[in-house]
Amino acid sequence: MLRCSATLVSLAAAYGLTLTLAPPLPEWAVLCAIALIVPLVWLTVTDLSDHVIPDAATFGVASIGLIATFRREDAPYTLALAIVMVGVLAWLGALYWRRAGHEALGLGDAKLIAAGILVVGAEAFWIMLLLASTGGCVAALTARQRAKSGIPFGPFLAYSIFITFTILGPQP
């Protein structure tokens, strides 16, 4: 329990510091960023401990993402990209599972990527994915002990969504 509390405090501090370092954001974006912290921290802690991304956390991110999406000019394109990407990534993850017998990109990750697209926008999607992938690669390369079940990707996705939205700013 103490470890979980330390993780929560560390994550909250990292998200808070990121928001503090962000360039000035419109008031609606600050409120969205603050609201994002709860589901992103929750899914990070859950994915680290259980290797599962809670659907309710992803739904929370997607709901906040819809607010951000409809404030952008490219809302239809962003919605379409999120829908297509969840389908494509889920299909690729299932295909890999059938061929290799173990998971590489789970359905929870695919849904979180789609929710992240709603938050950051279609144009910034690639930056979000690059940040998450870079973080995951660094963690995998520096892990002293290889976990039997792999390194969860959700925490890296969660933080990259937040960084992309706050530091790069909401895309017009």
Side-chain angles (χ1 to χ4, degrees):
M1 183 67 164
L2 181 62
R3 183 174 177 198
C4 184
S5 296
T7 302
L8 286 173
V9 169
S10 299
L11 287 168
Y15 280 87
L17 181 62
T18 302
L19 186 56
T20 303
L21 295 175
L25 297 169
E27 185 177 324
W28 70 267
V30 172
L31 294 174
C32 284
I34 291 169
L36 278 169
I37 293 172
V38 173
L40 292 176
V41 168
W42 172 28
L43 76 85
T44 296
V45 170
T46 305
D47 200 16
L48 285 172
S49 65
D50 303 335
H51 288 259
V52 172
I53 297 174
D55 285 338
T58 302
F59 179 77
V61 174
S63 298
I64 296 162
L66 284 173
I67 294 168
T69 295
F70 288 114
R71 298 202 54 104
R72 287 190 295 271
E73 296 170 5
D74 69 345
Y77 181 65
T78 297
L79 286 169
L81 179 63
I83 292 166
V84 167
M85 287 306 293
V86 74
V88 168
L89 293 172
W91 176 73
L92 288 172
L95 182 66
Y96 184 84
W97 173 269
R98 275 180 276 186
R99 290 185 185 256
H102 59 87
E103 188 174 73
L105 182 76
L107 184 57
D109 296 317
K111 291 186 284 188
L112 183 57
I113 289 169
I117 291 170
L118 295 176
V119 173
V120 303
E123 288 182 19
F125 157 64
W126 298 108
I127 295 169
M128 175 195 80
L129 202 54
L130 175 66
L131 288 172
S133 299
T134 302
C137 287
V138 168
L141 291 172
T142 59
R144 293 183 184 190
Q145 199 174 11
R146 190 125 176 117
K148 288 182 182 177
S149 57
I151 295 173
F153 192 44
F156 301 102
L157 282 171
Y159 196 51
S160 72
I161 291 167
F162 195 77
I163 289 173
T164 305
F165 182 72
T166 58
I167 300 297
L168 297 179
Q171 301 298 307

